[in-house]
Amino acid sequence: MPSAAARTPRPTSRAGLRPWQALALERMAGWEAGPFLISAAPGAGKTRPSLVLARELLKAGAVKRVAVICPTTPLTRQWAAAAAEQGVHLVPDAEELTPPKDFQGVSVTYARVASVAEKWARQCSPGTLVIADEAHHLGDELAWGVGFSKAFAAAQRKLLLSGTPFRSDATPIPGVTYDDEGVAVPDVSYTYADAVRDGVCRPVTFIPYDGTLQWRSGDDLIEAGFDTVLTGREASRRYRTAISTELPDGLPRILGEAHKRLLGIRADGHKDAGGLVVAADSTHARAVASLLKQVTGKAPTVVLHTEQQAARKLAAFTHARDEWIVAVNMVSEGVDIPRLRVGVYASAAKTPLVFRQIVGRFVRTIAGRPADMSWLYLPADPVLRTHANEVEGELRVIRRPREDDEDPMGLDELRERRETERSETPEFVPLAADVAPTSQMSLFGGAPAITSTVPAPAPAPVVFASAVPSAVQGDAEEADDDVDPGGLPAFQRRALLREKRHGLVGDLRRRDGRSPREINAWLNRETGVTRVEDATIEQLQRSIDLLLDALTARR
């Protein structure tokens, strides 16, 4: 039986907590050991109750130190700043688990923990409160998950936080409990619907666009809309045609519609409302930015992972009155731009995790303003439409794989893409598009929701033989968890680059089947590195460029 000091203390001062946050703290009052999962919608405020708990446990002597683990280095500083407001002082990006005098803990990245797991395991004690932010970045058999489990094996309490408590690769998250169907079972759940009902998050209306799309596949010219059932390869090419910047009646038309929507929102009183286009890759982002300049008369902010000032540009846009920002997977966890009201989904990534993270950029509210509707334009792709309906179903459809699951990736399409697009033949060329917004999909009320993703019976695609060749548009593959290293001190930049390299090595492993050892050996040869630990910032950036080239190359 734990001692009285080890039990979670009752509240002292919790003024200003949202009702769900107060309830979460009440639930944790009986929590004395083991993992505790809080699944709460992005923007709902998971940080506040976590730090209030840490403060109260420290004051009662129930824990001796706090360790906050985050995906990126900038997040470690955000957590340290938020903790200071609660009277808890953390050392960001610390090298030791034991904090200096006058500090109560540390905030570090998952990559840092993985690199010092054995050392930290010796420093960890039952009195360490571990807070794992965005815990879906962990995987039972992956480097970050293994390092996390080893480093904090002795910790009595592990608080896991996530708005999306699953992984796109379906790997179990350490410490998460799953039901018989493989669905994560949180100890506290606060869904999007709950947050909208309470005015904590904005409602989102999806506006799918569809029409006639035409592309060349080898010697065949194919014409189809999103209501046509296609094989894996041709479904992917239909989607890429829909987000092509080269077809004037396709994505450019949708950008025009989205801008009209943004101007209307500004005219209605939200004068600094902003728009976000999530692009497929750097080339695509620049082309989208050029189109937006033609539509709006103003050059949008463009945030690319290759730019040294990307993090600063994001921060500047957050506090500016500019209309549009274009990004490539740069707008994810820890990026808070509450003025975003209109979005265009033109990302190559269609996984449930990425989809929910992108939607989460549009649900954040502004103090003193009503939680007005946000709008997201997206191709009427069956996968994306299904994701939207699943989000409405409270994030409970993405399952941990069971042994008898034939395809644990579900809707991610990775298996089909591995089997049908490895050789990238026949050649693909987008030729024409004539699309327009269709009926709206309202995520949390307002406009009617669409419940059928593929009409039946579905029309067959129109195939014409011997299409006239045209310029080839390269593949755009997803790159998870882009992190920009610019504008930071050298040691922080280096840590972020190593983390990014680690993630991209995993992406390439899943794509071409090589082991991490083989990929790292190749990178080290190409960049003149003996060990990753000894790599300079320039060598790490070069290795990232090589990985991105390999991931986006036509094959």
Side-chain angles (χ1 to χ4, degrees):
M1 182 74 177
S3 66
R7 300 191 186 107
T8 305
R10 287 294 175 180
T12 52
S13 174
R14 299 180 176 182
L17 287 174
R18 294 167 176 166
W20 87 263
Q21 295 171 330
L23 177 61
L25 284 164
E26 287 298 325
R27 293 273 180 86
M28 287 188 284
W31 173 46
E32 298 175 353
F36 191 101
L37 173 62
I38 296 179
S39 173
K46 296 181 286 293
T47 302
R48 177 77 186 282
S50 305
L51 291 173
V52 170
L53 174 72
R55 181 191 68 202
E56 294 177 354
L57 288 173
L58 285 165
K59 184 176 181 180
V63 300
K64 303 302 181 185
R65 69 167 73 97
V66 178
V68 178
I69 322 301
C70 317
T72 68
T73 300
L75 275 175
T76 68
R77 298 194 177 278
Q78 290 183 30
W79 269 93
E85 294 178 1
Q86 298 295 324
V88 178
H89 298 286
L90 306 178
V91 180
D93 201 35
E95 296 184 2
E96 302 286 339
L97 177 57
T98 303
K101 186 179 179 181
D102 297 331
F103 283 82
Q104 288 79 47
V106 301
S107 56
V108 298
T109 64
Y110 289 112
R112 168 60 59 86
V113 171
S115 69
V116 294
E118 291 188 8
K119 180 170 116 178
W120 281 33
R122 294 190 295 270
Q123 299 175 2
C124 187
S125 67
T128 300
L129 170 65
V130 180
I131 301 175
D133 186 29
E134 306 297 349
H136 52 267
H137 284 274
L138 298 172
D140 265 348
E141 298 178 357
L142 303 179
W144 287 6
V146 171
F148 177 87
S149 297
K150 180 183 293 184
F152 301 114
Q156 191 169 338
R157 289 179 172 94
K158 298 183 182 73
L159 179 58
L160 311 178
L161 310 176
S162 180
T164 49
F166 55 85
R167 292 177 53 86
S168 288
D169 60 9
T171 303
I173 301 168
V176 171
T177 300
Y178 296 88
D179 64 18
D180 292 340
E181 295 299 318
V183 178
V185 181
D187 297 280
V188 172
S189 178
Y190 189 68
T191 66
Y192 280 111
D194 295 330
V196 171
R197 178 199 63 212
D198 295 341
V200 171
C201 288
R202 300 183 188 278
V204 176
T205 290
F206 294 115
I207 306 181
Y209 62 88
D210 200 355
T212 302
L213 300 165
Q214 191 179 93
W215 64 96
R216 183 167 65 83
S217 187
D219 293 331
D220 295 332
L221 188 151
I222 301 177
E223 182 178 286
F226 282 110
D227 59 349
T228 303
V229 177
L230 295 175
T231 62
R233 176 191 290 128
E234 300 310 328
S236 174
R237 292 174 175 182
R238 172 179 60 190
Y239 181 83
R240 287 157 53 200
T241 301
I243 64 173
S244 171
T245 58
E246 301 173 4
L247 311 176
D249 294 325
L251 180 61
R253 177 183 290 174
I254 299 307
L255 292 173
E257 293 291 328
H259 185 60
K260 290 178 185 177
R261 175 77 64 180
L262 181 61
L263 294 180
I265 291 171
R266 288 188 163 212
D268 286 342
H270 191 170
K271 298 186 182 302
D272 66 343
L276 162 69
V277 181
V278 183
D281 57 29
S282 298
T283 301
H284 189 236
R286 293 188 183 96
V288 167
S290 177
L291 292 173
L292 275 174
K293 185 176 181 180
Q294 295 175 30
V295 169
T296 68
K298 304 172 186 176
T301 299
V302 180
V303 180
L304 304 176
H305 69 275
T306 54
E307 293 182 336
Q308 292 296 311
Q309 302 301 317
R312 292 182 181 177
K313 290 168 71 174
L314 268 178
F317 181 84
T318 299
H319 302 290
R321 298 176 62 86
D322 298 350
E323 293 174 341
W324 284 95
I325 183 170
V326 182
V328 185
N329 287 344
M330 291 293 298
V331 185
S332 57
E333 298 105 341
V335 177
D336 188 358
I337 310 177
R339 67 187 189 92
L340 288 179
R341 294 287 303 281
V342 178
V344 178
Y345 194 113
S347 171
K350 295 190 289 180
T351 67
L353 179 60
V354 171
F355 182 83
R356 286 173 173 80
Q357 288 177 346
I358 290 174
V359 171
R361 300 315 99 200
F362 301 95
V363 304
R364 297 176 184 271
T365 56
I366 300 174
R369 288 194 56 88
D372 294 324
M373 184 78 69
S374 289
W375 307 81
L376 182 59
Y377 292 76
L378 71 167
D381 180 87
V383 173
L384 295 182
R385 290 163 69 101
T386 300
H387 290 343
N389 282 322
E390 289 172 350
V391 172
E392 192 173 30
E394 309 299 355
L395 304 178
R396 288 189 55 82
V397 296
I398 307 302
R399 302 184 294 112
R400 170 184 175 181
R402 296 177 298 178
E403 292 182 0
D404 58 347
D405 280 347
E406 181 179 352
D407 181 9
M409 298 307 295
L411 296 170
D412 290 3
E413 296 188 318
L414 297 183
R415 179 180 174 191
E416 287 183 333
R417 285 160 63 182
R418 284 197 302 269
E419 293 177 354
T420 64
E421 297 206 349
R422 182 178 293 276
S423 62
E424 196 51 43
T425 56
E427 191 175 49
F428 162 68
V429 184
L431 298 176
D434 185 4
V435 301
T438 62
S439 54
Q440 300 171 357
M441 302 174 65
S442 177
L443 190 57
F444 304 117
I450 295 175
T451 57
S452 174
T453 58
V454 181
V462 179
V463 180
F464 306 90
S466 301
V468 178
S470 178
V472 176
Q473 173 175 308
D475 284 343
E477 299 292 341
E478 64 179 280
D480 285 347
D481 300 323
D482 271 359
V483 179
D484 172 68
L488 298 172
F491 74 94
Q492 291 185 344
R493 292 175 58 196
R494 189 169 181 276
L496 281 172
L497 290 169
R498 286 187 59 186
E499 179 180 337
K500 182 175 177 64
R501 168 174 160 151
H502 169 80
L504 292 174
V505 166
D507 291 342
L508 189 57
R509 175 185 64 80
R510 288 188 288 272
R511 176 161 177 165
D512 70 11
R514 283 185 289 171
S515 69
R517 181 185 295 273
E518 292 172 319
I519 297 172
N520 281 311
W522 162 63
L523 291 171
N524 291 346
R525 286 195 303 272
E526 293 293 322
T527 59
V529 175
T530 304
R531 300 186 312 157
V532 177
E533 292 80 3
D534 298 328
T536 65
I537 289 176
E538 182 178 357
Q539 288 170 324
L540 287 171
Q541 185 62 65
R542 172 59 180 155
S543 68
I544 289 169
D545 292 340
L546 289 169
L547 287 164
L548 290 171
D549 288 344
L551 284 166
T552 58
R554 271 200 333 271
R555 302 181 341 162

